[in-house]
Amino acid sequence: MQQRPAPSPGLRTDAELSDATRDDSSLRRFLRGLPGIDPVGLEQRAAGLATRSIKKNSKLQAIDLAISMVDLTTLEGADTPGKVRSLAAKARRPDPAQPGVPSVAAVCVYPDLVAVAAEQLAGSGVGVASVATAFPSGRAALAVKLADVRSAVDAGATEIDMVIDRGAFLAGRFGEVFDQIVAVRQACAGRRLKVILETGELGTYDNVRRAAWLALLAGGDFVKTSTGKVSPAATLPVTQVLLQAVADWHARTGEYRAVKPAGGIRTTKDAVRHLVAVNEVAGPAWLDPYLFRFGASSLLNDLLLQRRTQREGHYSGPDYVTVD
């Protein structure tokens, strides 16, 4: 059986992981051999973590951390250069009246608007992320997907958010999905790669775990829940599955990989619950924008309103921040 090339070099020394990517049979055997997930136990743990509270003197720190983790996103057919310029300005200075508010992590747009975002964000430290690979369906020939990626990279993207072929994954063609991720990573030319699993279409937590490990084995820098176009999107139990995957990966290889829940995270309370899960499941090292992101649009508005509430002692209405 033909051996496939390994993904880009890293710190992997685990013999089982190296063998898993040797050929299709090895990959299938490894993924199907992953421990099963107890759905009841997982959901109970998620419910328990969701009840954890943060002390008032720590809440402002949590809000600022969450702001710094936002990939501020617009992925609509009606997006215009003007909208992206406005979004980029908000990304750099989310609340102009509050100079202490951190910038967000990145702005995420379609490939044809990357150049606009890159121009507006030059020198700011805010990344430019672009969805690619026939987002959101992923239904295109590999050559088309790679052209999509190269277009975004050439326009100035610093991060690429690709979608996996869920049809191939659900049909058990794991090697095909693996090879596509490896090819996209090569086309990224050193940019960070987020692999969108579209967990709402995968059906089971076991499939989510398999897809996450497949993405990690293929060299994805992030495992990401969703496109935001399918419901359910980012749920706390699914995010925990991804957090456990990257924690286990680190334990076996020494490498840090990142997690990005996206879709449906709209309130400060949602964000704080996810930060609690990050700390409890993966560990405090992941409480960093390099290793954890929120794919969001409206979330930032609520974080800014709640930040003002914490600082000023009274609720600020939506008229006090820009609304996307």
Side-chain angles (χ1 to χ4, degrees):
M1 185 172 295
Q2 183 178 7
Q3 292 189 354
R4 62 166 50 86
S8 57
L11 300 178
R12 283 195 286 141
T13 58
D14 187 297
E16 183 186 13
L17 296 184
S18 296
D19 181 69
T21 60
R22 183 165 46 87
D23 54 43
D24 286 355
S25 296
S26 300
L27 184 61
R28 187 177 299 107
R29 183 166 54 250
F30 175 84
L31 294 176
R32 294 199 185 282
L34 290 170
I37 293 176
D38 171 13
V40 175
L42 175 66
E43 291 168 3
Q44 285 181 343
R45 188 182 188 196
L49 292 177
T51 64
R52 300 276 184 91
S53 60
I54 293 181
K55 295 180 181 178
K56 186 173 182 179
N57 58 0
S58 299
K59 192 166 186 180
L60 184 59
Q61 293 180 340
I63 290 172
D64 280 357
L65 177 60
I67 291 171
S68 74
M69 292 173 163
V70 169
D71 280 2
L72 192 56
T73 302
T74 184
L75 297 171
E76 302 298 333
D79 286 344
T80 64
K83 181 177 181 180
V84 172
R85 291 187 190 99
S86 296
L87 205 68
K90 184 170 183 176
R92 296 179 69 148
R93 294 194 62 188
D95 188 345
Q98 302 283 336
V101 178
S103 301
V104 304
V107 167
C108 185
V109 296
Y110 278 113
D112 63 311
L113 290 168
V114 165
V116 177
E119 179 183 16
Q120 296 298 307
L121 295 170
S124 68
V126 178
V128 179
S130 178
V131 297
T133 64
F135 177 96
S137 69
R139 310 298 302 198
L142 180 59
V144 174
K145 295 180 180 182
L146 297 181
D148 206 18
V149 173
R150 294 186 187 109
S151 172
V153 169
D154 291 345
T158 59
E159 301 172 358
I160 296 295
D161 292 37
M162 71 164 288
V163 288
I164 67 168
D165 184 335
R166 283 86 73 190
F169 177 86
L170 291 170
R173 302 199 305 272
F174 300 143
E176 180 180 332
V177 179
F178 177 95
D179 290 343
Q180 289 200 6
I181 297 172
V182 171
V184 170
R185 182 174 176 82
Q186 292 170 348
C188 283
R191 278 65 171 179
R192 297 187 81 197
L193 174 62
K194 307 189 189 91
V195 181
I196 307 173
L197 309 179
E198 199 65 287
T199 53
E201 291 184 341
L202 298 186
T204 68
Y205 295 127
D206 286 340
N207 274 343
V208 172
R209 171 177 278 174
R210 292 187 187 106
W213 273 93
L214 178 57
L216 296 173
L217 288 165
D221 297 298
F222 280 78
V223 282
K224 177 178 171 182
T225 61
S226 325
T227 62
K229 306 297 186 181
V230 171
S231 183
T235 67
L236 200 52
V238 161
T239 300
Q240 286 184 211
V241 173
L242 302 190
L243 289 167
Q244 190 64 60
V246 297
D248 291 343
W249 180 268
H250 178 260
R252 295 181 68 159
T253 69
E255 290 181 328
Y256 285 97
R257 302 288 181 89
V259 172
K260 178 179 173 180
I265 303 173
R266 297 184 177 89
T267 68
T268 300
K269 184 179 291 186
D270 290 337
V272 169
R273 286 171 174 170
H274 278 76
L275 294 181
V276 170
V278 171
N279 186 68
E280 295 295 324
V281 178
W286 274 264
L287 291 171
D288 185 289
Y290 190 78
L291 293 175
F292 191 80
R293 300 280 183 84
F294 293 105
S297 52
S298 60
L299 171 63
L300 181 59
N301 294 326
D302 193 65
L303 288 167
L304 295 174
L305 292 173
Q306 294 301 325
R307 189 182 192 277
R308 287 195 173 204
T309 300
Q310 293 296 310
R311 290 179 61 86
E312 299 169 6
H314 59 85
Y315 180 74
S316 295
D319 292 342
Y320 290 86
V321 299
T322 58
V323 177
D324 303 321

